[in-house]
């Protein structure tokens, strides 16, 4: 099976359409949460991924948009965007997000938005967080999002996992070591590469391929301006921060 893995779309429909086109045909589509928040097209992103039969979990921004967690837990601009998103969601989008959990086991793989230890808020950035993650999971493979940084954490017999940043075009393979994998963010990359990030997982060869694709950032920024989203959120897309 060829599986497309996306995360942190953040209502960026232009980036999502570009990613799905670049990905080509896949047998399954997996999403690690944060369908919405920050960007201008929350319902369109949810609808498109549902049309493609996505299997998914919820991120902290999805949970804020439906009121499961309070937008007061976010910083200023993120809170403004969360409130804008909550108002913009259709009843159908809201009902769909309500069905999602921040962590799940799907097809023998652990999905956790932040980390397996704390799927709503914790950022998986360090060997220590990864070690705690490996202790928590019972599967060989775990997929995370939330940091918006494409990365790979490999379990090691020393107890200290190896931490790797995965630039576009890099790949790894599911082998004997257990892995925690982050595809990066479709809609708001934060590794100083503004291109949309995603991953393709080939279950036959075990290959994990991290990919990047250029999209029309100006189009998204124009729409964000039109609907009145905060200036900083508009500008950061240019720089991938
Ligand atoms: Zn996010």
């Amino acid at each position: 099976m060829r599986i497309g893995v996306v995360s942190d779309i953040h209502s960026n429909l232009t980036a999502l359409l570009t990613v799905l086109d670049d990905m080509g045909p896949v047998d399954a589509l997996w999403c690690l949460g944060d369908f919405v928040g920050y960007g201008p097209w929350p319902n369109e992103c949810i609808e498109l991924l549902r049309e493609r039969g996505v299997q998914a979990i919820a991120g902290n921004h999805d949970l804020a948009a439906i009121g499961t967690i309070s937008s007061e837990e976010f910083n200023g601009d993120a809170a403004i965007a969360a409130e804008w998103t909550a108002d913009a969601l259709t009843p159908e989008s809201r009902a769909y997000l309500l069905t999602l959990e921040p962590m799940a086991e799907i097809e023998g793989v652990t999905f956790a938005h932040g980390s397996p230890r704390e799927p709503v808020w914790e950022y998986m950035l360090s060997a220590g967080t990864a070690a705690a993650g490996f202790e928590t999971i019972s599967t060989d493979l775990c997929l995370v999002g939330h940091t918006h940084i494409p990365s790979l954490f490999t379990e090691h017999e020393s107890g200290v996992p190896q931490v790797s940043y995965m630039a576009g075009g890099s790949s790894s393979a599911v082998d004997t070591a257990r892995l925690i994998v982050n595809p990066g963010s479709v809609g708001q990359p934060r590794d100083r590469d503004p291109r949309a990030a995603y991953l393709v997982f080939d279950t036959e060869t075990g290959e994990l391929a991290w990919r990047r694709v250029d999209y029309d950032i100006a189009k998204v920024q124009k729409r964000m301006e039109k609907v009145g989203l905060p200036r900083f959120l508009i500008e950061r897309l240019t720089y991938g921060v």
Side-chain angles (χ1 to χ4, degrees), residues 81-152:
E83 278 152 32
W84 181 89
T85 303
D87 284 344
L89 279 191
T90 61
E92 291 75 22
S93 296
R94 183 180 304 279
Y96 172 68
L97 294 179
L98 275 166
T99 66
L100 304 179
E101 298 289 338
M103 183 161 159
E105 193 179 315
I106 296 170
E107 313 272 355
V109 174
T110 303
F111 288 34
H113 179 65
S115 75
R117 178 168 65 180
E118 212 299 280
V120 177
W121 291 110
E122 188 170 54
Y123 290 92
M124 173 77 67
L125 289 164
S126 68
T129 320
F134 285 119
E135 261 173 47
T136 309
I137 62 172
S138 55
T139 59
D140 292 336
L141 180 63
C142 172
L143 303 172
V144 297
H146 194 46
T147 62
H148 300 202
I149 311 265
S151 38
L152 173 66

Side-chain angles (χ1 to χ4, degrees), residues 24-59:
V26 286
D27 304 300
L29 190 60
W30 292 352
C31 175
L32 306 166
D34 282 1
F35 287 73
V36 304
Y38 295 132
W41 291 289
N43 297 303
E44 291 84 348
C45 289
I46 293 170
E47 282 160 22
L48 178 58
L49 286 169
R50 291 186 71 192
E51 268 168 30
R52 302 287 180 102
V54 74
Q55 292 168 283
I57 54 172

Side-chain angles (χ1 to χ4, degrees), residues 153-209:
F153 304 87
T154 308
E155 194 174 35
H156 191 266
E157 56 192 17
S158 67
V160 183
Q162 186 189 327
V163 182
S164 312
Y165 163 70
M166 305 304 279
S170 53
S171 64
S172 185
V174 174
D175 198 350
T176 48
R178 297 201 298 163
L179 304 177
I180 299 175
V181 169
N182 189 325
S185 168
V186 169
Q188 195 201 73
R190 291 182 193 160
D191 60 346
R192 301 190 176 274
D193 179 348
R195 297 176 298 166
Y198 71 100
L199 181 115
V200 175
F201 174 33
D202 186 326
T203 58
E204 263 140 60
T205 62
E207 191 198 31
L208 299 155

Side-chain angles (χ1 to χ4, degrees), residues 11-15 39-41 187 215-225 234 237:
S11 305
N12 187 335
L13 180 67
T14 310
W41 291 289
Y215 71 97
D216 189 347
I217 294 173
K219 184 175 177 180
V220 184
Q221 291 173 318
K222 220 176 262 175
R223 179 71 189 170
M224 288 173 80
E225 226 163 83
I234 296 172
L237 295 178

